[in-house]
Amino acid sequence: MKPKTSSAVDEASFSAVKAGIAEFVAGQGERYADQIERDGRVPEELRADLYERGYFGLCAPKEYGGQAIPFDRYLELMELFSMSHGSIRMIVHVANGVWRAIDRFATAEQRRRFVVPAVTGDLRVAFALTEPTAGTGADLRSTVTRVGDDYLLTGEKHLITFGVACDYWLLFARMAGSEGKEGTIALMVDRHTPGVTVTEMPPTMGVRGTDHAHLVFDNAPVPVANRLGEEGRGLEVAFGGFLTPSRISVAMSCVGLARRAHELAVDHALGRETFGRKLAERQAVRFMIAENATDLEATRQLVLHAARHWQSGGPDAEALSSMAKLHAVDALTRVTDRSLQIHGGIGYWASSPIERVYRDARAQRFEEGTNEIQKTVIARAELGRRK
């Protein structure tokens, strides 16, 4: 019986963790951000720092070495991390989510080999679902054929976050000759498996420093012992174990990034003077600030509603996670655009903090599925309810 996180939290301990994260984001986090933007790489000392601070196992059970912070309260911390550089947020987001997908179907031995080291930060796991020649989900083209105690894996993956510098890929494929979700399979694939070609993809517009991999598998052998769950249940591992809560976490990431943009805009409006008046005294600017604040609070509450629904095992969790992600991305787009407008021309220069925020925000439009994917999930749930 796997341990579960408690729905309660010690408020004094939680407040201390929250205060520590806020201090890190405002201080050392910004110094790391400058270094990442300058070098185009996430420094190893950043990962070591996050590890030492215990930020890789915030919501995992204490039995696994985590802090057992309930998911909805963990999102309060994710909002803070998301006010920092996109790559810092990405490291924390992946580390605090991928263990859950493995754990859901793991055997006791797999929990010892994969889950606990992922929680403690001793094992880096990348989520490998997206393919260059297929859509996300049951359209998987990567295939496996069982030969004795191994699966031989053939296919391609791309846009795999941290797929270059990881230890394992949590990878999804299908049994050769199968169709639909019933043929899918989830595997833990060693980064150094023979028959695998790893190519680092070109730099991105935003979230600089996070590596993304293009992977090619040519009859790469993967032990059957590394399969999570039964054959045919791969998408259950992907969606229920990772994507549903991950979409909620990404939605809260949008809140944090929007909050950072909003605060920068407010500070600029209070300090910038034109024609003898502060920008904050001008009605057009005040209206944009009001709209930003409203977008922020409405989105935050929808995200927390989705989180609590998922946490309690509610039947609408998948649809609500997509609603939260869809709404959050659109709100982030509006807030960052207004915030940049309040800055005027100077906000477009790389010397202005809002410029990095604006670039990082665009990545949220496709992380964990595009808006169009979210609408498909929501519409399916709504139409299914009517039927």
Side-chain angles (χ1 to χ4, degrees):
M1 188 72 177
K2 65 183 179 183
K4 297 180 180 295
T5 54
S6 170
S7 59
V9 63
D10 180 87
E11 290 296 339
S13 298
F14 180 77
S15 294
V17 172
K18 192 171 182 179
I21 292 171
E23 182 181 1
F24 169 79
V25 167
Q28 185 61 37
E30 281 302 293
R31 289 187 282 276
Y32 282 129
D34 291 341
Q35 184 177 349
I36 293 169
E37 288 294 305
R38 182 178 64 251
D39 300 339
R41 290 280 177 185
V42 170
E44 279 301 313
E45 55 265 33
L46 167 57
R47 288 184 177 275
D49 196 353
L50 295 171
Y51 173 88
E52 291 296 327
R53 293 170 186 266
Y55 293 160
F56 287 160
L58 290 167
C59 50
K62 290 184 179 179
E63 294 89 329
Y64 296 172
Q67 299 187 45
I69 295 173
F71 184 63
D72 60 334
R73 303 304 302 275
Y74 159 73
L75 291 179
E76 296 179 35
L77 310 180
M78 180 50 57
E79 179 177 340
L80 294 175
F81 280 117
S82 302
M83 297 176 70
S84 187
H85 192 280
S87 282
I88 295 176
R89 189 279 304 180
M90 186 70 81
I91 293 170
V92 176
H93 165 71
V94 172
N96 282 278
V98 74
W99 70 268
R100 191 182 293 109
I102 307 170
D103 185 52
R104 189 177 180 209
F105 289 95
T107 64
E109 174 63 14
Q110 289 172 335
R111 199 162 285 124
R112 182 190 66 79
R113 291 176 58 204
F114 303 127
V115 179
V116 173
V119 168
T120 60
D122 296 311
L123 195 71
R124 299 183 189 179
V125 181
F127 189 83
L129 176 66
T130 307
E131 300 183 353
T133 61
T136 300
D139 192 31
L140 288 170
R141 309 290 172 84
S142 296
T143 62
V144 297
T145 303
R146 183 163 179 173
V147 179
D149 292 332
D150 287 330
Y151 290 108
L152 298 183
L153 170 63
T154 298
E156 284 185 87
K157 298 289 181 180
H158 79 158
L159 306 179
I160 306 305
T161 303
F162 302 128
V164 176
C166 64
D167 299 305
Y168 277 85
W169 299 293
L170 170 53
L171 184 140
F172 303 90
R174 66 169 53 260
M175 301 300 297
S178 70
E179 295 182 357
K181 66 180 182 180
E182 290 76 13
T184 59
I185 187 170
L187 298 169
M188 294 296 295
V189 182
D190 192 304
R191 166 70 173 77
H192 301 291
T193 298
V196 183
T197 302
V198 181
T199 305
E200 184 166 3
M201 299 185 71
T204 50
M205 177 194 301
V207 197
R208 292 176 179 169
T210 294
D211 74 73
H212 294 85
H214 182 102
L215 312 174
V216 178
F217 303 90
D218 183 10
N219 284 319
V222 183
V224 172
N226 285 16
R227 184 188 71 216
L228 297 173
E230 300 301 316
E231 293 179 357
R233 304 190 72 180
L235 289 189
E236 290 183 56
V237 177
F239 291 112
F242 184 80
L243 280 179
T244 297
S246 186
R247 282 172 176 163
I248 298 170
S249 181
V250 171
M252 188 57 89
S253 299
C254 293
V255 173
L257 197 56
R259 176 178 164 187
R260 174 63 172 155
H262 177 56
E263 290 181 0
L264 288 170
V266 169
D267 288 345
H268 184 77
L270 290 169
R272 172 72 167 138
E273 185 176 301
T274 60
F275 299 98
R277 296 175 63 194
K278 301 289 188 183
L279 291 183
E281 298 175 21
R282 302 186 181 280
Q283 188 180 65
V285 173
R286 294 171 73 91
F287 280 4
M288 284 191 281
I289 288 171
E291 290 166 353
N292 280 357
T294 303
D295 265 336
L296 269 171
E297 190 56 33
T299 305
R300 183 184 291 112
Q301 295 308 318
L302 176 57
V303 173
L304 290 173
H305 174 63
R308 291 163 188 148
H309 210 76
W310 176 81
Q311 197 165 254
S312 65
D316 295 330
E318 183 182 20
L320 282 169
S321 74
S322 286
M323 290 179 190
K325 170 66 165 54
L326 172 67
H327 182 80
V329 163
D330 286 345
L332 174 62
T333 301
R334 293 190 295 268
V335 170
T336 51
D337 194 63
R338 293 188 200 112
S339 297
L340 183 61
Q341 189 69 15
I342 290 171
H343 278 78
I346 195 63
Y348 195 67
W349 261 249
S351 57
S352 177
I354 190 65
E355 184 267 349
R356 188 189 82 212
V357 172
Y358 194 82
R359 282 189 287 105
D360 283 355
R362 189 60 180 84
Q364 306 302 312
R365 295 282 289 274
F366 51 81
E367 186 179 349
E368 308 300 26
T370 63
N371 278 10
E372 291 70 31
I373 290 292
Q374 311 309 329
K375 290 175 184 177
T376 299
V377 173
I378 297 164
R380 182 176 63 220
E382 288 297 305
L383 294 171
R385 186 179 293 110
R386 288 293 185 182
K387 289 179 182 179

